[in-house]
Amino acid sequence: MAAQKKIPLRKCVVTGEMKPKREMVRIVRSKEGDVSIDPTGKKAGRGAYITLDPECILQAKKKNILARHLKTDIADALYDELLALAEKEKQAGYEK
């Protein structure tokens, strides 16, 4: 009988829910202050995890949650990228 593999959990900065790392996306702020999406979860810098749900992303934008957590301004383009990524994940989920 094989031992069950441990699933790494992360906390969504918007909802506060603990979810498996694979269900979330990491937003990272580098030392230079550049904010980007980190699909691998391995970039250096301050990170924040957010659930890939359009409602969750829009709430983060409305309440400025990512900007406060990463202590920097977040461009609207990043939220657009996140929404596009969430839509892509949603489409991939329907195909399974």
Side-chain angles (χ1 to χ4, degrees), residues 1 25 29 44 48 66 71:
M1 192 161 156
V25 68
R29 174 183 49 99
L66 283 176
K71 298 179 175 100

Side-chain angles (χ1 to χ4, degrees), residues 71-89:
K71 298 179 175 100
T72 189
D73 293 328
I74 308 292
D76 285 344
L78 186 85
Y79 290 109
D80 295 338
E81 273 186 70
L82 280 169
L83 288 168
L85 188 64
E87 190 61 37
K88 193 169 121 183
E89 287 291 317

